[in-house]
Amino acid sequence: MATGGSFVPLRRMIRLENRRIRWLLIACASLAMVVGAAGQVVMPALGNPLLVWIDTAFMPAIVAILILLNQQDRRRLLVLICILLAIETVLTSAFFAIGMAFAILVPIIGIALIQPYLRGMASLAAYALAGIVATVSIAIVVLGVPPNGLERTQPALTITAFALVSTAALGLLWRASERQVEALDAAEREIAARSDAERELHRATREVETLIGSSPVATMALDESGRLTVWNPAAERLFGWSEAEVINQPLPAVLASGDDGDGLQAQVQRILSGNAIRGTRIASHHRTGRELLVEVHADVRHDAAGRPVGTVVQAIDVTERAALEAQLREAQRMEAVGQLAGGIAHDINNALTAVGGFAELIEAKSQDESVREDAHTISEAVGRARRLTRELLTFAQRSVLQPKVIDIAEFMASLDPVLRRLLGPGIELISRSQATNARIRVDPGQFERAIMNLAVNGRDAMPRGGTMTIETIRSTDRDPASSRSPRGSTETTWIVITVSDTGVGIPPELQDMVFEPFFTTKERETGSGLGLAMVYGFVSQSGGHVELRSAPGVGTIVEIWLPETAETAPASQPGVRPNQLEGRETILLVDDELTVAQFSRTALTRLGYAVLVANDGTSAIEAARNHDGPIDLVLTDVIMPGLQGPDVARAVVSIHPEARVAYVSGYSADAITERGVVPPGVELIEKPFTADELGSRVRAILDLHRDAASRDD
C-alpha cells in the first residue's frame, strides 16, 4: 500500500528508541535500588528509613521492571502498575515537598496507561481513583502530614529520589506515547487500506457498469419485490423499453406473462425458489408486439450475509437462430427423405418396370376381356406408383434431369391448350408473357409437370370457378423492383413464372408446410401431397427458387424463379409416331434384374429387333466378342454388381465401334450423372418405363445415330 511506506522510517525510529529507553529503565531501576539503599546507610532519613527506601528505590524499580515485563500489555499487570503508582504518589507526597508535582503527574500517566483497556463503569472507576489519589497526595503535601524536612536535611537523597521518580514517570509517559504512536500508525494504515478498498470498489463498480452497459446480451436485475434495478442498453434494443421507463417498475406485462403464461415473471419466481436457469427458451414480445424467442440465463442475487435479495436475468435473442435451426432440421429431414427415396428407388423402379411392363404385354396379347381389364387395372396402379416415385425423387432433388434450353414464351404457349382442358370451362385462364426472347435451361418434362401441378392445385382451390393467371416476366437483381429476387445467387437475371388463383387460399399457419412431402389440405383420396413438393424439388435442383404467398378467401400466388441462360434453344425435333417404333437392328441388352431384362427383351423383340441379353458386365463383353454381326445399340443398366454400365459400354464399343450407347437406370445417383443432371451426349432411359416408352426411346436414339452418320457421309 502506498501510504504505508511513509511509516517505515517512523517504525524503525520507534523500535530503536524503545531499545534505548528499556536500557535506560533498567539502569534507572538498578541505580534506584543501589542509591536508595546507600543513601539510608550513609545519610539515614529523619523519618522512617524503610518507607523512604521503598519510596525512593524499591517502588520505582518495581514499576520499571513491570513495565519491561509487560510487552503484550496484559491487563492485570497494567492494573498492578497503576496501584503501585498510586502508592508511590502518596509516599512521595509524604516525604517530599516536591511530591505535589507527582501527585498531579503520576495519576494522569496511570490513566493514559490503562485507559485503552477500560470501558464503561471500569473507566469511570479508574478516573475516580486517580482523582482521589491526586487529591490525597496534594493534601498531604499542603498540610505537611506528617511533617518532614527530608528535602532540607538530606538534599542529596532528595535530588536522587526525585531523579529516580522522574525517570519512572518518563518511562510511563514513553509507554503511553508508544501506544498512542502504535494506535495512530494502525489507524493510518486502516484509513489507507479502507481508502484503497473504496477506490478498488469504485473501479470494480465502474468496470461492472461498463461491462453490463456494453454487453450485447440483454441484462436485467430485479429485487425481491419484482422491480427492475438494472436494465442495460441491450435490453432496450431487444424489448423496446428505455431504462427510464422500467427502472423501479415491475416487468412490463407482455414480458412478465408470455404467450403461454410461462414468461419472465414465472422464471423469476422459479429462480427465487432456488432453481437457477441455464438456457431455457421462452416466447416473448417486443414492445411493438413482434414475437421473440429468447434464451434465458438467470440466478439469485445474495447480500453479504448470503440472503437472497433478488435475481439477475440475461436474455439472448434466438429468434433468427431458432428459425435457422428449424431450416437446418427441415433440410436434414428432407435430406433423410431424399436418401431414403434414392436408396429404394432402384429396387422399386425395377419392380414397377417389370410389373407394369408385363401387365401392358398381357393386355395387348390377351383375347380374354376380363384378363385385359385386370391387366389394364394393374397398369394404371403401376402408373400411379410411377408418378409418386418420380415426384418423391423430384422433391428430394434426386431425380435425373435431362435439361434442354427452351424458349419460355413458346413453351408456355404450347401448354396453353392443355391447361385450358385441365382447368375446365368454369375457370378462366389468363396467360401473359412480358419476357421476350427469354430462354431457360430445364428438363422440359419436369418443368411441364411442375406447371401442371400448380394448375391442378389452383383448380382444386376454386371449386365454384374463378380466374387463374399465368404470367412470365424477366427480373434482375439490379432492378429495385425485384426485391424478392433470391439472395446469395450468382445469377443476375431471372425468369419469373407466376401462377395465381382466386381460390380459398391457405391459412397462415399452414403456409410453411405446403412444400413438405405428403402434406395436403385436400381429401386423402384426391391428393397425394407431393404436387408442391415436386415443384419445390425440381425448381431447387434446377438452380431456382420458389415463393408462395396466400390469404384465406383471396387466393394463392406461387412464383417460380429460374435463371435465364444465353444459350440458343435447339430446333425442335419431330416426335416418333407409334407406327415408326419397329426396327431390325441388333441390341445388346445388359441388366442384372432378370425380370426387367426379360420384359425389355420381349417388348423389343415384338417390335422386330434382334436382342442379345446379358445379366452382368462380363457376360455382355463375352457376348459382344462372340457376335459376328454389327451391334447397333448397347442398352445397359448403370448400377450392376461387378462392372458398372459405363465400363461395360466402353468395353463393348471398343469391340464394336459402330454401336450406339444408351443407359437404363432407376437410381438417381448414378455414375453417369453430376448432381442429378445427365451430361450432354448421354442417352438415359429412366425406370420405370412402359413397352411403348422403351420402343419410342430406342427408335429415337437409333434414328438420331443414323441421321448423324448420314450427315457425316
Side-chain angles (χ1 to χ4, degrees):
M1 209 176 296
T3 308
S6 61
F7 289 95
V8 174
L10 178 60
R11 293 192 189 107
R12 292 177 180 173
M13 181 181 70
I14 290 175
R15 284 196 293 269
L16 179 62
E17 192 66 23
N18 287 349
R19 288 196 296 270
R20 293 175 179 175
I21 294 178
R22 287 193 184 98
W23 284 111
L24 176 62
L25 289 176
I26 293 172
C28 289
S30 302
L31 182 61
M33 296 288 289
V34 173
V35 172
Q40 297 303 318
V41 174
V42 177
M43 293 178 289
L46 297 178
N48 188 331
L50 178 61
L51 292 177
V52 173
W53 179 75
I54 289 174
D55 178 46
T56 59
F58 183 75
M59 291 292 290
I62 292 299
V63 170
I65 292 171
L66 290 178
I67 291 175
L68 290 173
L69 292 176
N70 192 26
Q71 292 296 318
Q72 301 299 324
D73 290 337
R74 288 180 287 270
R75 186 175 299 180
R76 293 181 180 178
L77 285 179
L78 289 173
V79 173
L80 179 59
I81 291 172
C82 289
I83 294 173
L84 292 176
L85 287 174
I87 297 173
E88 174 73 9
T89 301
V90 174
L91 291 176
T92 302
S93 301
F95 294 125
F96 303 99
I98 200 173
M100 184 176 293
F102 286 89
I104 298 172
L105 181 62
V106 175
I108 294 175
I109 296 174
I111 289 296
L113 192 65
I114 201 172
Q115 184 182 13
Y117 302 95
L118 299 178
R119 296 291 185 273
M121 297 302 296
S123 178
L124 292 176
Y127 275 99
L129 179 61
I132 292 171
V133 171
T135 303
V136 171
S137 300
I138 292 173
I140 291 173
V141 173
V142 173
L143 298 175
V145 179
N148 196 341
L150 184 62
E151 70 279 5
R152 294 187 297 273
T153 58
Q154 300 291 344
L157 186 59
T158 300
I159 294 171
T160 302
F162 181 75
L164 293 176
V165 173
S166 299
T167 302
L170 289 174
L172 292 175
L173 285 174
W174 159 76
R175 186 59 175 168
S177 64
E178 182 186 40
R179 287 200 54 78
Q180 290 178 352
V181 171
E182 291 176 354
L184 290 174
D185 190 8
E188 188 70 21
R189 288 196 302 271
E190 181 179 356
I191 292 172
R194 183 175 298 178
S195 178
D196 288 344
E198 289 177 352
R199 283 195 297 270
E200 181 66 22
L201 178 61
H202 186 60
R203 184 191 63 80
T205 301
R206 287 199 310 271
E207 285 186 357
V208 170
E209 291 176 350
T210 302
L211 288 173
I212 293 176
S214 61
S215 174
V217 177
T219 304
M220 61 201 82
L222 300 93
D223 58 21
E224 286 184 293
S225 65
R227 295 183 178 275
L228 287 161
T229 57
V230 173
W231 183 267
N232 73 340
E236 294 184 9
R237 294 190 297 270
L238 177 58
F239 297 114
W241 284 273
S242 66
E243 181 181 18
E245 292 176 304
V246 297
I247 288 297
N248 295 323
Q249 300 293 327
L251 278 169
V254 69
L255 299 182
S257 60
D259 289 338
D260 54 359
D262 191 22
L264 283 178
Q265 191 63 47
Q267 303 299 328
V268 169
Q269 296 303 321
R270 190 177 305 167
I271 298 163
L272 290 175
S273 64
N275 298 318
I277 295 177
R278 297 291 182 267
T280 300
R281 290 187 175 184
I282 63 172
S284 187
H285 291 85
H286 189 268
R287 184 176 188 173
T288 58
R290 176 169 52 89
E291 293 184 355
L292 299 172
L293 183 66
V294 295
E295 183 178 279
V296 176
H297 299 259
D299 210 339
V300 183
R301 296 164 53 206
H302 297 90
D303 60 11
R307 294 184 298 269
V309 295
T311 57
V312 175
V313 181
Q314 291 183 313
I316 303 172
D317 185 6
V318 295
T319 308
E320 293 185 6
R321 186 197 306 174
L324 292 175
E325 290 173 354
Q327 292 177 8
L328 177 60
R329 287 193 298 270
E330 181 70 10
Q332 291 173 338
R333 187 171 67 84
M334 300 306 183
E335 179 69 17
V337 172
Q339 290 178 353
L340 176 62
I344 66 176
H346 184 270
D347 294 334
I348 290 179
N349 287 332
N350 279 332
L352 291 176
T353 301
V355 172
F358 279 111
E360 183 184 9
L361 294 177
I362 292 171
E363 183 182 0
K365 185 177 181 180
S366 177
Q367 301 300 321
D368 189 333
E369 187 63 28
S370 62
V371 173
R372 291 168 58 88
E373 290 179 359
D374 292 341
H376 183 72
T377 302
I378 294 173
S379 296
E380 288 182 341
V382 170
R384 288 193 296 271
R386 290 172 58 190
R387 288 191 296 272
L388 289 175
T389 304
R390 285 179 175 175
E391 288 181 348
L392 184 60
L393 286 173
T394 302
F395 158 75
Q397 301 180 39
R398 292 177 179 270
S399 62
V400 178
L401 299 182
Q402 301 187 55
K404 296 179 175 59
V405 177
I406 63 173
D407 185 290
I408 187 63
E410 293 180 359
F411 187 86
M412 296 304 295
S414 68
L415 289 182
D416 190 83
V418 180
L419 291 172
R420 292 187 185 277
R421 288 194 299 270
L422 179 67
L423 296 176
I427 297 177
E428 180 186 4
L429 176 62
I430 301 175
S431 298
R432 290 194 294 262
S433 178
Q434 301 178 17
T436 57
N437 298 322
R439 294 177 293 275
I440 57 175
R441 184 177 179 81
V442 294
D443 186 312
Q446 296 273 29
F447 184 42
E448 179 179 342
R449 280 196 292 272
I451 299 299
M452 291 297 180
N453 283 340
L454 294 178
V456 169
N457 282 348
R459 180 198 65 187
D460 295 343
M462 297 182 288
R464 295 182 178 85
T467 302
M468 176 173 290
T469 303
I470 301 179
E471 185 178 14
T472 305
I473 64 171
R474 179 185 281 110
S475 180
T476 174
D477 280 342
R478 293 187 294 271
D479 186 353
S482 62
S483 60
R484 295 190 302 273
S485 298
R487 300 303 178 198
S489 173
T490 58
E491 302 289 344
T492 57
T493 306
W494 300 85
I495 302 303
V496 185
I497 302 95
T498 304
V499 180
S500 59
D501 62 65
T502 57
V504 296
I506 303 173
E509 63 272 13
L510 300 181
Q511 292 182 17
D512 291 336
M513 305 168 62
V514 294
F515 293 115
E516 295 184 2
F518 307 114
F519 175 82
T520 179
T521 58
K522 304 176 185 178
E523 297 294 333
R524 186 175 299 274
E525 293 78 10
T526 60
S528 66
L530 287 174
L532 286 177
M534 175 266 169
V535 174
Y536 172 85
F538 159 70
V539 175
S540 298
Q541 193 173 0
S542 301
H545 178 75
V546 182
E547 292 187 2
L548 180 143
R549 301 189 302 280
S550 184
V554 177
T556 302
I557 299 174
V558 178
E559 293 179 350
I560 296 178
W561 294 68
L562 291 169
E564 185 177 8
T565 181
E567 299 179 53
T568 303
S572 59
Q573 299 291 334
V576 179
R577 295 188 297 275
N579 59 358
Q580 296 177 311
L581 296 181
E582 295 81 2
R584 295 292 180 266
E585 291 89 348
T586 299
I587 299 174
L588 175 58
L589 177 63
V590 189
D591 201 313
D592 63 307
E593 195 69 33
L594 297 180
T595 56
V596 176
Q598 185 179 358
F599 158 67
S600 300
R601 182 185 62 182
T602 302
L604 293 173
T605 302
R606 287 187 177 185
L607 293 174
Y609 295 101
V611 181
L612 305 175
V613 179
N615 297 121
D616 57 52
T618 303
S619 301
I621 297 171
E622 186 65 25
R625 288 197 184 99
N626 295 333
H627 185 68
D628 294 333
I631 295 178
D632 299 285
L633 178 65
V634 179
L635 188 61
T636 177
D637 195 5
V638 179
I639 304 298
M640 297 184 297
L643 291 175
Q644 302 296 302
D647 300 326
V648 175
R650 282 191 293 270
V652 173
V653 170
S654 67
I655 301 171
H656 291 272
E658 75 281 0
R660 179 88 174 162
V661 177
Y663 295 100
V664 176
S665 179
Y667 187 50
S668 63
D670 288 335
I672 62 170
T673 65
E674 182 180 358
R675 296 186 301 276
V677 178
V678 179
V682 175
E683 299 291 346
L684 178 67
I685 303 174
E686 287 187 81
K687 298 177 183 178
F689 48 76
T690 66
D692 285 345
E693 289 173 345
L694 177 62
S696 176
R697 287 298 305 277
V698 167
R699 186 70 262 161
I701 293 169
L702 289 172
D703 289 347
L704 182 64
H705 178 54
R706 183 187 59 194
D707 294 342
S710 299
R711 286 193 300 270
D712 292 340
D713 293 341

